[in-house]
């Protein structure tokens, strides 16, 4: 078959088209950003970076928050215990029980002192108890078994 200005030939073997020598480079792939803060010198955080760093940031923030919150809660609990003891000895005992010299006041004072000493002793031991070691792992494993939780056998699990 003949066409004007072209000749078509049928071949059984296909040949690849000739390669072009591209000097033009393709633009880098567009990165999609999950967070863009224009007021802070155009800070942009890529999604891949956000996905890998966000859990670590959350874990670090939680650890720091708990380390700071622990002593604060210890002080708050101690203040509550002191305030309750102060309320009993300065308000309730003289007003309603007639002072500690009356039999009713004496027994209430003994009972409150006993409870106060036990609360302070148990609270101090709870604060000072370490959560590491063989005994701790055995107790936690037994507790997990009783509650039906799967407790990992090693750090990797």
């Amino acid at each position: 078959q003949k066409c004007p200005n072209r000749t078509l030939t049928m071949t059984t073997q296909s040949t690849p088209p000739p390669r072009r020598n591209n000097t033009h480079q393709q633009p880098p792939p567009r990165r999609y950003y999950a967070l863009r803060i224009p007021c802070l010198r155009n800070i942009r955080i890529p999604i891949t970076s956000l996905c890998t760093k966000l859990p670590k940031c959350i874990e670090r923030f939680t650890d720091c928050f708990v380390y700071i919150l622990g002593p604060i809660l210890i002080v708050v609990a101690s203040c509550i215990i002191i305030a309750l003891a102060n309320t009993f000895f300065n308000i309730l005992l003289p007003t309603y029980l007639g002072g500690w010299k009356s039999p009713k006041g004496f027994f209430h004072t003994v009972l409150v002192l006993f409870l106060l000493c036990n609360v302070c002793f148990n609270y101090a031991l709870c604060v000072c108890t370490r959560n590491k070691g063989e005994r701790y792992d055995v107790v936690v494993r037994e507790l997990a078994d009783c509650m039906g939780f799967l407790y990992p056998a090693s750090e990797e699990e």
Side-chain angles (χ1 to χ4, degrees), residues 31-70:
R31 298 179 80 176
Y32 294 98
Y33 294 100
L35 183 62
R36 190 174 192 179
I37 307 171
C39 61
L40 296 176
R41 295 187 184 182
N42 290 328
I43 294 175
R44 292 179 270 175
I45 302 172
I47 290 176
T48 55
S49 175
L50 187 67
C51 292
T52 57
K53 293 182 181 178
L54 187 63
K56 292 178 185 175
C57 289
I58 291 173
E59 181 181 359
R60 180 173 286 165
F61 172 76
T62 306
D63 284 345
C64 291
F65 181 72
V66 169
Y67 284 130
I68 292 170
L69 187 64

Side-chain angles (χ1 to χ4, degrees), residues 1-155:
Q1 297 177 355
K2 289 192 175 184
C3 293
N5 299 336
R6 287 192 188 167
T7 306
L8 291 175
T9 57
M10 303 279 279
T11 59
T12 57
Q13 193 176 23
S14 65
T15 59
R19 290 188 175 189
R20 294 182 190 175
N21 196 359
N22 281 344
T23 57
H24 176 22
Q25 294 179 351
Q26 292 181 352
R30 185 173 179 189
R31 298 179 80 176
Y32 294 98
Y33 294 100
L35 183 62
R36 190 174 192 179
I37 307 171
C39 61
L40 296 176
R41 295 187 184 182
N42 290 328
I43 294 175
R44 292 179 270 175
I45 302 172
I47 290 176
T48 55
S49 175
L50 187 67
C51 292
T52 57
K53 293 182 181 178
L54 187 63
K56 292 178 185 175
C57 289
I58 291 173
E59 181 181 359
R60 180 173 286 165
F61 172 76
T62 306
D63 284 345
C64 291
F65 181 72
V66 169
Y67 284 130
I68 292 170
L69 187 64
I72 292 171
L73 291 178
I74 290 170
V75 170
V76 168
S78 300
C79 288
I80 290 173
I81 293 169
I82 291 169
L84 289 174
N86 185 33
T87 301
F88 175 77
F89 287 114
N90 290 328
I91 297 172
L92 292 178
L93 187 62
T95 306
Y96 296 111
L97 301 174
W100 64 272
K101 293 182 182 179
S102 68
K104 189 176 180 183
F106 177 76
F107 289 117
H108 274 87
T109 303
V110 170
L111 177 67
V112 167
L113 285 174
F114 174 75
L115 292 175
L116 184 65
C117 289
N118 279 317
V119 166
C120 291
F121 177 75
N122 286 321
Y123 189 69
L125 286 183
C126 287
V127 169
C128 296
T129 300
R130 291 180 16 189
N131 60 352
K132 294 181 180 177
E134 295 175 16
R135 292 178 58 198
Y136 177 77
D137 289 338
V138 170
V139 170
V140 171
R141 192 168 309 282
E142 284 181 19
L143 183 62
D145 290 340
C146 292
M147 300 299 288
F149 291 115
L150 296 174
Y151 187 75
S154 66
E155 291 285 330

